Amino acid sequence: MKKEKSKNQIRIFGSLRVMVLCSVFVAISIVCGKYLAIRGGDVLRFSFENLPIILAGMAFGPVAGAAVGVVADLIGCILVGYAINPIITLAGALIGAIGGIMFRVCRKLPWWLCVTLTVTACHTIGSVVVKTIGLAAFYSMPIWELMLWRLLNYVIIGVIEGVLIYILLKNKALRKQLLMYREEDVK
């Protein structure tokens, strides 16, 4: 029994394939979040930086998703000269972890519903609540006003990201490569 558990841990965390794909997700998140973002002042930003983080969580589980979120935030901040805000870094980790947890919890549901619930949970908890707390503390802004603006921001982003993830996962070849644990859906 112990040997079997050890083998699964190696497969999940020690696979070169998973590490490379997580690195690609980190790079995509940095490019989408730091270089292709459309800014709306100091605290609002329309970007798809969370899409690869959510996909990493969905594909490789909550630990890998959290790692992608943390690494993308830290490297992205260093590359563009942002101050590292630990609360926002925590939010990145939560987005990836929640993506992995929610996707596994609702994986028996239809694809569109599973993706919708996953993206909604990730953005509600990670982007709207936790990141807003981090931004309010960092910029000394009124939290409720900021939260309303960010809620509107992430309703728009969440809908677009949900549609994009759904379209990506409708491709059976891509789904087979990413979602190894849902192989029954690829047949």
Side-chain angles (χ1 to χ4, degrees):
M1 185 69 132
K2 185 173 181 153
K3 188 175 183 178
E4 193 174 302
K5 183 178 179 185
S6 169
K7 200 174 191 180
N8 284 338
Q9 287 177 339
I10 290 171
R11 194 177 105 221
I12 293 170
F13 299 110
S15 166
L16 181 61
R17 178 180 173 276
V18 171
M19 184 175 66
V20 169
L21 284 171
C22 284
S23 299
V24 170
F25 285 139
V26 166
I28 293 169
S29 178
I30 291 169
V31 169
C32 289
K34 305 298 191 254
Y35 296 107
L36 298 178
I38 299 169
R39 304 198 185 293
D42 287 335
V43 293
L44 290 181
R45 191 174 64 192
F46 287 93
S47 76
F48 299 110
E49 68 185 327
N50 294 322
L51 189 141
I53 297 169
I54 295 169
L55 270 175
M58 292 167 75
F60 307 119
V63 174
V68 168
V70 167
V71 172
D73 184 64
L74 294 176
I75 293 175
C77 286
I78 291 168
L79 285 175
V80 296
Y82 290 170
I84 294 173
N85 183 331
I87 299 172
I88 292 177
T89 303
L90 170 67
L94 284 173
I95 289 167
I98 292 167
I101 293 167
M102 282 298 297
F103 198 68
R104 279 171 172 66
V105 167
C106 67
R107 68 181 180 211
K108 302 279 187 200
L109 298 174
W111 276 104
W112 68 270
L113 183 57
C114 187
V115 169
T116 301
L117 292 173
T118 300
V119 171
T120 300
C122 290
H123 283 307
T124 301
I125 296 167
S127 301
V128 176
V129 175
V130 178
K131 279 188 184 180
T132 301
I133 291 168
L135 289 170
F138 193 76
Y139 288 108
S140 300
M141 297 182 73
I143 192 165
W144 296 112
E145 179 181 329
L146 183 59
M147 194 170 289
L148 286 174
W149 281 108
R150 289 183 56 78
L151 178 62
L152 173 63
N153 186 36
Y154 279 99
V155 164
I156 296 166
I157 291 171
V159 168
I160 296 169
E161 283 184 352
V163 168
L164 289 174
I165 290 172
Y166 178 75
I167 290 169
L168 286 171
L169 293 181
K170 280 192 72 158
N171 181 307
K172 287 184 180 185
L174 180 65
R175 192 167 67 221
K176 183 177 180 181
Q177 291 299 311
L178 286 179
L179 307 176
M180 297 175 293
Y181 61 91
R182 280 193 72 165
E183 290 177 2
E184 70 274 3
D185 293 329
V186 177
K187 296 176 184 173

